[in-house]
Amino acid sequence: MKNKFYVTTPIYYATAAPHLGSLYSTLLADVAAKWNMLNGKEVFFLTGTDEHGQKIEAAAKAAGKKPKEFVDSFIGAYKNVWHDYQIDYTKFIRTTDKEHVKAVQKWISQLLENGDIYKGKYEGMYCTPCETFVVDKKEEDVECPECNRACVFVSEEAYFFKLSAYQDKLLEFYKNHPDFVYPKARLNEVTSFVESGLKDLCISRSTLKWGIPFPGDEQHVAYVWADALNNYITAIGYLDKGKQSEFEKWWPADLQVLGKDIVRFHAVYWPAFLMASNLPLPNHLLVHGWIKINEQKMSKSLGNAVDPVVLKDQFGADEVRCYLTSQMAVTQDSEFSIKGLKEFISKNLANDLGNLLNRTTTLALRSKLEAVEPPKELSKDSKELKVELDNCYNAFKNYMEQASFHMAMAEIWKFTSRVNSYFHAQEPWKLAKSDKEKFEEVIFVTCSSLQSIANLLWPVMPTKMADLLAQIGGRLNIELVERWLSIFKLKAGETLFNKYDAEEEPKEEVVEEKKENYITIDDFVKVELAVGTIVECEEVPKSDKLLKMQVDFGAKGIRQIFGGIKKFYKPEDLKGKQGVFVINLKPRKMMGMESQGMMLTAESEDGLARIIPSELVPAGSNLK
Ligand code: MSP
């Protein structure tokens, strides 16, 4: 079916409410959906949440909740934010949905049968935050290339997908579909990655429970990406007998939106999965850059996330949508700032667009012109403006087709400022008294331009553009962009956009405070930490856990400190060694004796380790 448009967003990890970065991915998909709707296509817009895997299991544990209960708690926040921002999705999929789970299991069984999935053993370094296998062998100090966080060693029996068998087919596909990935430069990166050689991909985990059970082998759950990527087909009925025609109607996707951090999954693994299932590949992937704050990726874990709800309350959903679409260069990283947002709203929206509308309707109504009809013929200036609109529209369409939304928006801002110049140059306030016919033509041309702009901006600002059209009696109909034949019925309306003083401090803090576990620096400095040298160390009779230490803190004296570390250290191992201690803890009695501090240790599944300075320092040195 040619006249359909199937667009998807990545599915978001349900570990927190959405932030502005999550909104950005979703907004780009929504703009594409609305643009295609406006052009008469039937649209299916899919979004949802990614709810399985180690990351979720660990986050739920940290929150003291069961995984399902934990993920459930964020769904409302996602749906509310999407609603507030007029994100018109057709379906919200959750990877815990029964239909999805069933379909993924069928998909695995199918691939097991045809030999694309086989059993083996995985050993290597794994990045839990990115849910990625980083190096296929044990190595010390491996950092994830994506997020720079430390990887953990995993050694387990696992199922593998024969990714290596698809290397040549993928390269062939990239060659024949140079516009598979927007922007094209990203496809070059992907191609080099595939050319450097593909190893088979581990697609099951046996050391966690929170995932889709592997069919026929309950020891395993599906690796979260094998589960998650399939949402794009299970949502529209893949492997569901009753929904075959629905699936065939929508697949392949026309546009799949994703951030640059997850390109490899979407441009390599996903197409290979589809090839193995004999399914066509998506037409285009749109890979967008990150929204940054002070040059750092905005993210919940970095604590610099902007809350879209606070932004909407302060500036309005359409204004934020328009700012993000116009000012964030889709394909690159872009800096977000409140100052930039205020400047954009004040200049582009309030001054150039809102004022133009206001001046036009006020002047016309004051001159008793309520119904504006097309003139018999357009003047030279008006014709020139129309030619500029036609050029703008052509460029706009091209950019929209390539999902280069910010470039498309730039065309609109250029044209809007041209309409302002036209309006000024015609001096309609003089014509209102001297030349009624010419006056009416200028108002008609300005209203037609505004109607064209409102249609083109509608996918980005659906509410505000409907308001604009209502004030001139215009219509939402993409054909009217080119056809200037409408009759306008003007009526006074409210100011469309507010202006902001860019220097003024925001009323409310928009960069969210990470709510959990924050302490202030004042809290921190209350804890006195110092390096001490353990001069004596002995076991405590009748205690399984305790060692008793005499610790030298230089000028601060020698203190007796107990530590629950007997299982991990022998007294002779500690004698003469340094450690880090809290020295202003209220003394307390342990086995009848006073402990005058506490030794710091790092605890993990592998045991316990003493914290030591990287170089020998004088006993008693303070930590800051
Ligand atoms: N669950 C996976 C995706 C699975 S899709 C089959 C995931 N989830 S995520 O919640 O971490 O990220 C979802 C999307 O949000 C990604 O496209 C990511 O790039 C985007 N963003 C997250 N932070 C962002 C910014 N600061 N800026 C722009 N987009 C960012 O990855």
Side-chain angles (χ1 to χ4, degrees), residues 377-387 418 422 426 438 441:
E377 212 199 334
L378 291 179
S379 68
K380 183 171 160 281
D381 288 354
S382 301
K383 275 187 189 149
E384 271 174 20
L385 187 68
K386 176 69 169 65
V387 169
R418 251 309 266 126
Y422 164 87
Q426 302 300 316
K438 181 86 181 113
E441 182 201 330

Side-chain angles (χ1 to χ4, degrees), residues 525-595:
V525 294
K526 282 187 199 151
V527 183
E528 214 179 316
L529 295 165
V531 176
T533 306
I534 305 167
V535 287
E536 292 296 340
C537 183
E538 59 189 75
E539 292 185 354
V540 177
K542 294 192 194 138
S543 168
D544 299 340
K545 289 192 193 149
L546 292 178
L547 289 184
K548 185 171 83 173
M549 296 171 278
Q550 302 300 323
V551 187
D552 181 6
F553 291 99
K556 298 184 177 89
I558 293 185
R559 292 169 179 230
Q560 170 171 288
I561 296 178
F562 287 74
I565 52 177
K566 189 169 166 184
K567 277 197 201 138
F568 308 97
Y569 293 102
K570 293 200 184 90
E572 56 271 29
D573 293 340
L574 291 179
K575 210 168 153 186
K577 300 279 169 60
Q578 291 199 315
V580 172
F581 297 83
V582 184
I583 56 169
N584 62 341
L585 264 190
K586 197 170 165 198
R588 65 180 187 133
K589 285 264 164 71
M590 293 175 120
M591 305 298 279
M593 292 168 281
E594 190 172 271
S595 181

Side-chain angles (χ1 to χ4, degrees), residues 259-276:
K260 66 176 190 179
D261 43 332
I262 50 178
V263 179
R264 200 196 318 156
F265 301 98
H266 285 82
V268 182
Y269 305 163
W270 178 225
F273 289 171
L274 290 166
M275 285 172 174

Side-chain angles (χ1 to χ4, degrees), residues 192-345:
S192 323
F193 173 77
V194 175
E195 276 170 350
S196 71
L198 290 180
K199 288 194 179 148
D200 289 350
L201 178 72
C202 175
I203 60 151
S204 79
R205 304 292 316 270
S206 60
T207 45
L208 82 152
K209 294 264 161 300
W210 184 237
I212 298 185
F214 225 72
D217 195 343
E218 301 283 300
Q219 292 301 308
H220 294 258
V221 295
Y223 166 48
V224 64
W225 278 96
D227 161 354
L229 286 164
N230 275 301
N231 92 86
Y232 301 131
I233 49 179
T234 64
I236 47 169
Y238 182 56
L239 295 180
D240 183 337
K241 273 201 195 104
K243 293 194 177 149
Q244 203 171 329
S245 62
E246 190 188 341
F247 176 70
E248 280 163 11
K249 171 174 170 184
W250 295 111
W251 192 256
D254 297 275
L255 184 69
Q256 301 209 260
V257 178
L258 51 125
K260 66 176 190 179
D261 43 332
I262 50 178
V263 179
R264 200 196 318 156
F265 301 98
H266 285 82
V268 182
Y269 305 163
W270 178 225
F273 289 171
L274 290 166
M275 285 172 174
S277 319
N278 288 319
L279 289 174
L281 306 201
N283 292 335
H284 305 288
L285 305 181
L286 168 61
V287 181
H288 65 74
W290 287 336
I291 298 187
K292 291 190 160 180
I293 290 215
N294 299 329
E295 299 189 3
Q296 267 200 318
K297 182 188 181 197
M298 181 187 295
S299 87
K300 287 272 172 187
S301 51
L302 290 173
N304 64 355
V306 170
D307 183 347
V309 179
V310 177
L311 269 196
K312 182 213 75 182
D313 291 345
Q314 251 178 46
F315 300 103
D318 274 21
E319 286 87 338
V320 175
R321 285 176 64 111
C322 195
Y323 167 70
L324 292 177
T325 317
S326 298
Q327 300 298 94
M328 307 284 125
V330 184
T331 48
Q332 286 157 26
D333 292 347
S334 307
E335 200 53 34
F336 169 86
S337 75
I338 293 292
K339 187 164 178 262
L341 172 62
K342 285 180 175 175
E343 279 169 357
F344 174 80
I345 298 177

Side-chain angles (χ1 to χ4, degrees), residues 124-159:
M125 307 305 293
Y126 191 74
C127 172
T128 310
C130 295
E131 298 278 18
T132 314
F133 299 97
V134 174
V135 203
D136 293 344
K137 56 181 186 252
K138 186 169 186 173
E139 270 180 23
E140 296 295 320
D141 302 328
V142 175
E143 276 187 3
C144 170
E146 217 46 82
C147 69
N148 299 331
R149 281 178 272 206
C151 295
V152 288
F153 177 62
V154 209
S155 167
E156 56 194 55
E157 188 186 63
Y159 286 86

Side-chain angles (χ1 to χ4, degrees), residues 376-558:
K376 282 187 208 85
E377 212 199 334
L378 291 179
S379 68
K380 183 171 160 281
D381 288 354
S382 301
K383 275 187 189 149
E384 271 174 20
L385 187 68
K386 176 69 169 65
V387 169
E388 289 193 44
L389 168 71
D390 293 341
N391 293 339
C392 155
Y393 187 32
N394 282 335
F396 182 89
K397 277 191 286 196
N398 272 335
Y399 286 128
M400 290 302 276
E401 287 316 308
Q402 294 164 38
S404 190
F405 303 127
H406 67 292
M407 295 298 288
M409 290 298 120
E411 291 297 324
I412 305 276
W413 304 127
K414 223 165 44 188
F415 179 66
T416 309
S417 101
R418 251 309 266 126
V419 186
N420 273 294
S421 313
Y422 164 87
F423 190 81
H424 257 272
Q426 302 300 316
E427 301 186 316
W429 50 92
K430 288 188 187 159
L431 295 175
K433 293 179 199 127
S434 60
D435 186 342
K436 282 272 176 216
E437 201 176 321
K438 181 86 181 113
F439 173 67
E440 208 173 318
E441 182 201 330
V442 173
I443 299 297
F444 170 82
V445 167
T446 312
C447 286
S448 299
S449 302
L450 283 167
Q451 176 168 258
S452 302
I453 293 170
N455 268 279
L456 298 180
L457 281 183
W458 178 81
V460 179
M461 293 194 287
T463 307
K464 291 290 177 179
M465 292 307 100
D467 287 355
L468 187 160
L469 289 170
Q471 291 192 29
I472 56 172
R475 276 187 301 136
L476 185 67
N477 177 347
I478 196 70
E479 286 171 16
L480 299 178
V481 173
E482 287 174 298
R483 258 198 302 122
W484 279 8
L485 290 169
S486 307
I487 295 175
F488 297 101
K489 292 228 158 48
L490 308 185
K491 59 173 186 244
E494 289 198 353
T495 308
L496 220 49
F497 301 105
N498 292 329
K499 276 193 196 166
Y500 297 92
D501 177 354
E503 300 307 328
E504 192 190 303
E505 289 294 309
K507 277 185 242 134
E508 210 178 319
E509 195 59 57
V510 287
V511 175
E512 256 183 279
E513 289 227 335
K514 212 171 142 209
K515 296 187 183 71
E516 331 89 66
N517 298 336
Y518 266 146
I519 59 166
T520 65
I521 187 74
D522 298 339
D523 296 327
F524 176 71
V525 294
K526 282 187 199 151
V527 183
E528 214 179 316
L529 295 165
V531 176
T533 306
I534 305 167
V535 287
E536 292 296 340
C537 183
E538 59 189 75
E539 292 185 354
V540 177
K542 294 192 194 138
S543 168
D544 299 340
K545 289 192 193 149
L546 292 178
L547 289 184
K548 185 171 83 173
M549 296 171 278
Q550 302 300 323
V551 187
D552 181 6
F553 291 99
K556 298 184 177 89
I558 293 185

